[in-house]
Amino acid sequence: MIKSIADLPIEGKRVFLRVDLNVPLTPACGVADDSRIRACLPTIEHAIKHGARVVLASHLGRPKGPQPALSLEPVGARLAELLGREVLLTDEAVGDGARKVVADLRDGDVALLENLRFFPGEESNDESFAKQLASYADVYVNDAFGTAHRAHASTVGMIAYVSPSARGAGFLMKREIEFLGRLLGEPERLGRPYLAVIGGAKVADKIAVLENLLGRVNAFLIGGAMANTFLKAKGANVGKSRVEEDKLALARAFLKKAEDRGVEVLLPVDVVVASGLDAASGQIVRADAMPADSMALDIGPESSAGFADRIARAKTVFWNGPMGVFEKKPFAAGTLAVAKAVAACRGLTVVGGGDSVAAVNEAGIADQISHISTGGGASLEFIEGKKLPGIAALEVNE
Ligand code: ADP
Ligand code: MG
């Protein structure tokens, strides 16, 4: 089982809280979007309220060694504003400075360790780096679902040096495990019809998700560039559309497996084509007869309406991957229609994937979705059925 921070005695304890503060930055190194900071506030506020001495740790970007532009300083400043209290940033993640800041904390104080990835030992899961991090932890709590698929010092290595009775998950991590876990739950207990709406760039990125959901869902609704590979695998003429030639056999094999199991695979019946990504507008054509010199950049209105109708009647929906090049206005309609349909669905709705979540936010319907996963790669690996190292490391037998 995995304990929640709510079940751990934390008063007067140094609580090491691994959070995901990997926010997008402005060119001037300010915080461009503070959603990730806001997402971990409930866990941090719980720790403060219960008298913990809070030691926050996160990575930011992909630094190669210490890099001032990737300091957590602006993140700490924004967090201090949101919490309405001081956040003490250490000069380095580990070392004399960090040790002193942590040792001087009083109950309810908050320290933030400087960017973990300034030390290569974080990503290489170096034992001595892990031990130094663990020396700041009476209690270890992980709330960073977005990095749970990585076995790093702060997500896995250090946990071995913390007592099993003092390990747990934060509220965000708990929620991710609960909702994504429901999508993979006992087939008899899932609300039906259960649909997986899968789009985005590549079959190669999503095939493991499709395979793992095959024994669970009633139907797949496929859009985005990956639909082209499936359409071509069925013999359609897809013009210049983006196709993964080396995945045609895999797509064909998947369609066959789905058919054998009685699982529907719905592909677009019409698409929006254009001469290229920068075209000012598109043209609606049948999906099996695209003009030779054009490429499919969105699903067409008939497909959107068909998908929306299915989604409206579903009891469980998992959506990953946009239906088209939604970053460009002329090719955003399919993705927007699916976003609205998922929002209107009364069943359990879960959206995962960096671009799909961006589309949901742009559509302004985020508050109508049961759960929006904060992990891009981590949520996909979870749905693929992989055991995420950062989650497995929190398991205790009690
Ligand atoms: P997610 O991040 O939600 O998992 P992906 O990263 O798999 O989604 O895919 C998103 C990308 O796929 C977007 O950049 C989008 O422009 C692109 N895309 C979607 N449909 C098409 C298409 N028909 N042709 C080319 N690119 C597409
Ligand atoms: Mg993406």
Side-chain angles (χ1 to χ4, degrees):
M1 68 163 256
I2 295 177
K3 286 189 185 164
S4 158
I5 186 172
D7 306 326
L8 296 169
I10 56 173
E11 193 181 340
K13 301 272 173 55
R14 292 168 309 155
V15 175
F16 188 103
L17 192 47
R18 176 55 161 105
V19 281
D20 181 2
L21 300 177
N22 184 29
V23 299
L25 296 173
T26 64
C29 296
V31 175
D33 176 355
D34 65 5
S35 327
R36 283 192 169 153
I37 307 178
R38 289 175 184 275
C40 48
L41 287 178
T43 304
I44 300 173
E45 278 167 346
H46 172 92
I48 295 170
K49 194 172 123 209
H50 289 83
R53 305 174 180 200
V54 186
V55 182
L56 300 172
S58 176
H59 72 281
L60 177 61
R62 299 178 172 277
K64 296 269 169 279
Q67 196 176 318
L70 290 175
S71 167
L72 279 168
E73 200 270 327
V75 176
R78 182 77 192 108
L79 176 63
E81 269 169 39
L82 292 168
L83 288 173
R85 66 168 59 225
E86 195 178 9
V87 173
L88 300 152
L89 180 72
T90 65
D91 59 345
E92 291 187 293
V94 296
D96 292 342
R99 194 176 308 122
K100 168 117 181 50
V101 169
V102 173
D104 290 347
L105 290 176
R106 286 162 308 167
D107 297 358
D109 282 351
V110 181
L112 170 62
L113 302 182
E114 182 54 288
N115 195 342
L116 291 164
R117 290 194 188 166
F118 286 174
F119 285 86
E122 165 64 359
E123 287 182 271
S124 66
N125 195 6
D126 174 71
E127 193 178 327
S128 110
F129 183 67
K131 274 188 188 162
Q132 287 182 79
L133 291 176
S135 74
Y136 309 144
D138 299 320
V139 174
Y140 173 88
V141 173
N142 192 345
D143 211 19
F145 178 73
T147 41
H149 58 320
R150 304 281 179 238
H152 293 168
S154 68
T155 59
V156 172
M158 66 178 289
I159 305 178
Y161 307 103
V162 176
S163 154
S165 60
R167 303 171 188 168
F171 298 124
L172 188 62
M173 178 74 95
K174 269 279 177 193
R175 195 179 150 81
E176 292 278 7
I177 297 171
E178 185 205 324
F179 277 91
L180 296 174
R182 275 163 76 179
L183 296 174
L184 301 183
E186 295 291 313
E188 315 72 66
R189 296 185 52 196
L190 286 158
R192 297 193 177 276
Y194 176 2
L195 306 181
V197 185
I198 311 287
K202 289 199 229 142
V203 174
D205 292 344
K206 307 286 163 81
I207 188 71
V209 167
L210 296 176
E211 297 275 0
N212 198 43
L213 291 176
L214 188 57
R216 297 184 164 90
V217 301
N218 298 95
F220 289 98
L221 277 48
I222 297 184
M226 57 181 274
N228 301 327
T229 302
F230 279 99
L231 287 166
K232 183 157 183 184
K234 289 182 85 169
N237 187 346
V238 298
K240 280 200 300 168
S241 299
R242 189 165 158 176
V243 167
E244 296 158 83
E245 295 291 342
D246 62 334
K247 294 290 177 288
L248 289 171
L250 191 71
R252 235 173 259 126
F254 179 79
L255 290 170
K256 173 81 171 66
K257 264 188 274 184
E259 193 185 334
D260 291 347
R261 284 175 164 252
V263 176
E264 280 183 280
V265 180
L266 274 68
L267 297 174
V269 290
D270 58 349
V271 290
V272 181
V273 297
S275 55
L277 284 165
D278 292 320
S281 65
Q283 186 197 343
I284 300 158
V285 300
R286 302 312 296 171
D288 56 359
M290 300 185 206
D293 58 348
S294 60
M295 57 201 299
L297 297 173
D298 193 10
I299 59 172
E302 192 180 324
S303 310
S304 298
F307 284 10
D309 179 54
R310 288 294 191 118
I311 294 167
R313 290 183 283 123
K315 292 282 185 324
T316 308
V317 178
F318 171 60
W319 177 28
N320 166 267
M323 296 292 106
V325 183
F326 75 105
E327 300 93 332
K328 311 256 183 188
K329 193 106 195 284
F331 313 111
T335 302
L336 190 63
V338 162
K340 286 190 174 150
V342 175
C345 171
R346 305 285 292 274
L348 170 71
T349 51
V350 179
V351 181
D355 293 289
S356 332
V357 170
V360 161
N361 287 328
E362 264 166 52
I365 46 93
D367 58 340
Q368 295 164 58
I369 309 281
S370 312
H371 179 65
I372 297 183
S373 180
T374 53
S379 35
L380 284 187
E381 288 195 22
F382 192 109
I383 300 297
E384 285 171 13
K386 286 193 188 147
K387 229 175 158 41
L388 308 191
I391 294 179
L394 299 175
E395 291 274 359
V396 289
N397 318 312
E398 277 169 65

